[in-house]
Amino acid sequence: MNSSVIIVGIIFLIGIGLVLYKYRHRKSLHDNVDQLKKVIGMIYAERETDLITQNKLIKGLKVHLGINEKMALKLIGKARHENLVEPDLSDIHKSGKIRYKKNF
């Protein structure tokens, strides 16, 4: 066997390993409600307010969890489903922005 075939095979296996790790990491973020609750609590504690806009919540999730915007939106949906956050629709017509309040 040629040494270049072995090197290409090793690089291929490392690539497959990285893809599987990233998939499992994202899946574990979506399934772990306690970690999501903890991160959302930290975001609200940093902002020191009861209402946070959707953009600030997305940015906080991206910073604390190291994810992209699409995954942050999925996690906000998961948090809404688990009743961790709730949209405050009282002033949506005034500002045009969705604000979330913490439920725990």
Side-chain angles (χ1 to χ4, degrees), residues 5 16 26 30 37-38 41 47 50 54 65 79 94:
V5 173
I16 295 289
R26 287 179 182 235
H30 193 70
K37 183 177 180 179
K38 180 178 152 188
R47 301 288 181 191
D50 294 337
Q54 183 175 0
L65 295 176
K94 296 176 191 173

Side-chain angles (χ1 to χ4, degrees), residues 61-92:
L61 288 171
K62 286 170 62 175
V63 166
H64 288 288
L65 295 176
I67 56 175
N68 60 9
E69 188 169 345
K70 182 178 178 181
M71 187 66 182
L73 286 171
K74 286 181 181 180
L75 289 177
I76 290 173
K78 177 74 172 183
R80 287 181 64 184
H81 180 72
E82 296 291 333
N83 292 325
L84 299 177
V85 295
E86 164 182 315
D88 183 35
L89 302 176
S90 62
D91 65 340
I92 193 167

Side-chain angles (χ1 to χ4, degrees), residues 15-31:
I16 295 289
L18 288 174
V19 168
L20 289 174
Y21 170 76
K22 187 147 182 115
Y23 172 77
R24 289 187 56 156
H25 176 68
R26 287 179 182 235
K27 182 125 175 93
S28 71
L29 284 177
H30 193 70
D31 291 339

